[in-house]
Amino acid sequence: TVVRHSRLGGSGAHRYFRCAGAPNAERYWTSDTGDDAAEGTAGHHLMEACFVENKNPADYLGEEIVVWQDKKAEVGYNPSTWADFFDGDGAQVAELSNAYKTWNFRVDTKMAGYIGSVVEDVREFPGDLFAEQEVSLAAWLGDGEIGNADITVIEDNVFFEGEVQRVLVADLKYGFVQVDVKDNEQLMLYALGVWDKFKDRINDDAEFVLRIYQPRINYRGEWAVSLNDLLKFGERASVLAEATRDPKAKRTAGEVQCARCDARPRCPEYTWWVSDIMKIDIKEVEEGKPEDEISLPSMESLSVEAKARIFLSKKAITNWLSDIETSLSEDYDAGVPIPAVKKVYGRGGRDWADLPKAETFLRQRLNVDEAYKKTLITPAQAEDLLSPKVYQKMLNEGLVRQFQGKPVLVAASDNRPEIERIDDMFDDLDGDAAGSEDELDFLN
């Protein structure tokens, strides 16, 4: 199976909706698939196999999934032992021969548990299920634009359970950073594509149930939207997509769109945006010497609002610094003269050159407890090795203690409950005191 990509598509909507120039900027800077993304692709394929073959992930324990990336940076997967998925004409063998990167993932209890929780939940939604559906987004994004809906379930348009027909459009995310489902541009585009593909089976007043599954962080987000609201969103998407076709489309830097943009290290708008946040005078930096200290605003000169803005842009700032270091390192390797900077070897690790001899040497001089260290794995390591159901059994039996984390600052949009402030606590005490005056009369 090959996962085809279009110029815009759905996965990058959060970027080009906010920065019209992003697609043009990224055109010549296609990034390689990383190990985490490849593992996510394997998880998608396992889920697809379960739906297509009407099996459960546990049925595939021990099977191997080969994920590959070709020279065009398209990604595919090829199950080495599932005959039903082979084309039979040697096409997949040719695809693998063109690959320059491959990954091999074996279905273990952990992967089976994560995908199993999704498969089980999806099967509870009534209707006809369609897995990994390629849908056209041409009506909104332009000719040739496509998307890939991971999960689609359509209730019968006559005999449905609720007041209106429901259509499930869901996306599997295998990462650890929570992706919110409400107003999620990617899922809304996929929902439009599903409607366009199956419109003869979907009523005009149907409700689209959008879900994001992130089993590795135990997240299941759900948000319902009407077809009418989806079509209104589609009109706005068409305008934003059209703006990207201008060869001189404006670039607009920001936290969301720049976070994983391939063109970010070479984008001047990103540099200006970060420098504005940090109050760095780029002209002063360009005209100064490398060893000159860059002047930053003092803490006392920053208002609470300014400090909040800088704090909320922390990731963008660190990404920018990382991009500068990477670019400077590439310049150094290319032989570009760089004043005041050099490259050295960092501190290396140590290992036994001859493990058996080292073991004999130490056992002659140390007792067993000193020479060997053996401890029980941590709850986090156990969670990685066990299936989610087995780990949940450990929790139910009270074998794991959960300690409260240290207080940290986050964006106000974060879903975690806010820590009660000191002044709020005093307000509560004042209220309690006021309500207890009658009880304290005996002191007078």
Side-chain angles (χ1 to χ4, degrees), residues 111-331:
M111 180 184 285
Y114 288 141
I115 301 303
S117 65
V118 178
V119 170
E120 183 179 343
D121 191 72
V122 170
R123 284 175 173 164
E124 292 180 357
F125 195 100
D128 295 328
L129 191 153
F130 304 90
E132 298 295 340
Q133 288 293 299
E134 184 178 291
V135 294
S136 172
L137 304 177
W140 300 277
L141 304 184
D143 293 342
E145 295 295 338
I146 59 173
N148 202 70
D150 294 347
I151 302 163
T152 303
V153 184
I154 304 175
E155 280 191 314
D156 188 279
N157 60 354
V158 177
F159 303 104
F160 43 81
E161 294 184 356
E163 295 182 1
V164 297
Q165 180 194 24
R166 295 189 307 157
V167 178
L168 173 66
V169 180
D171 200 33
L172 170 66
K173 304 288 187 185
Y174 217 56
F176 293 95
V177 179
Q178 182 174 310
V179 180
D180 291 331
V181 69
K182 189 176 185 298
D183 293 318
N184 185 282
E185 295 99 341
Q186 178 183 7
L187 263 181
M188 293 174 79
L189 283 171
Y190 289 171
L192 284 170
V194 167
W195 170 76
D196 186 57
K197 185 170 186 173
F198 298 102
K199 62 176 62 175
D200 59 325
R201 305 181 53 162
I202 300 175
N203 296 334
D204 291 342
D205 61 347
E207 178 181 72
F208 285 76
V209 179
L210 309 187
R211 285 183 190 168
I212 287 181
Y213 289 103
Q214 289 185 264
R216 296 210 285 185
I217 59 171
N218 196 30
Y219 173 71
R220 173 191 179 275
E222 180 174 300
W223 181 59
V225 60
S226 69
L227 175 58
N228 186 52
D229 286 341
L230 277 177
L231 292 173
K232 288 181 179 178
F233 162 78
E235 293 175 2
R236 184 168 68 90
S238 297
V239 174
L240 295 172
E242 182 62 32
T244 69
R245 296 186 182 87
D246 182 350
K248 297 181 180 179
K250 180 183 177 182
R251 297 189 199 178
T252 306
E255 185 79 38
V256 175
Q257 60 268 40
C258 294
R260 301 185 67 180
C261 179
D262 292 328
R264 187 187 69 210
R266 296 156 293 276
C267 181
E269 283 74 13
Y270 182 69
T271 294
W272 283 107
W273 177 66
V274 173
S275 64
D276 177 62
I277 292 172
M278 299 177 67
K279 305 301 180 187
I280 296 175
D281 187 337
I282 292 295
K283 185 177 180 181
E284 176 188 332
V285 174
E286 290 287 358
E287 294 178 352
K289 297 178 181 179
E291 59 270 18
D292 290 345
E293 185 175 334
I294 296 175
S295 58
L296 294 172
S298 64
M299 195 66 64
E300 294 77 13
S301 68
L302 295 173
S303 64
V304 171
E305 290 78 14
K307 285 187 285 188
R309 185 187 178 207
I310 293 172
F311 167 74
L312 293 173
S313 303
K314 178 180 178 180
K315 186 171 180 59
I317 294 169
T318 54
N319 282 341
W320 181 62
L321 294 173
S322 178
D323 290 341
I324 287 177
E325 184 174 1
T326 299
S327 179
L328 202 60
S329 179
E330 291 172 352
D331 290 339

Side-chain angles (χ1 to χ4, degrees), residues 78-119:
N78 179 12
S80 57
T81 56
W82 303 342
D84 290 345
F85 279 81
F86 281 81
D87 295 335
D89 59 1
Q92 294 202 6
V93 175
E95 288 169 354
L96 282 170
S97 66
N98 289 328
Y100 74 95
K101 290 180 72 175
T102 59
W103 298 261
N104 296 69
F105 297 99
R106 194 165 298 280
V107 180
D108 56 15
T109 55
K110 183 172 62 172
M111 180 184 285
Y114 288 141
I115 301 303
S117 65
V118 178
V119 170

Side-chain angles (χ1 to χ4, degrees), residues 388-401:
K389 285 188 177 180
V390 174
Y391 183 73
Q392 184 60 47
K393 186 176 180 181
M394 287 185 65
L395 297 179
N396 295 341
E397 294 184 8
L399 300 178
V400 178
R401 287 185 299 175

Side-chain angles (χ1 to χ4, degrees), residues 2-6 26-27 29-33 68-76 95 98-101 262:
V2 180
V3 181
R4 296 198 297 147
H5 296 280
S6 54
E26 288 188 295
R27 181 178 301 175
W29 305 101
T30 302
S31 61
D32 282 346
T33 296
W68 53 268
Q69 180 181 358
D70 69 12
K71 295 178 179 63
K72 294 181 181 178
E74 289 185 338
V75 177
E95 288 169 354
N98 289 328
Y100 74 95
K101 290 180 72 175
D262 292 328

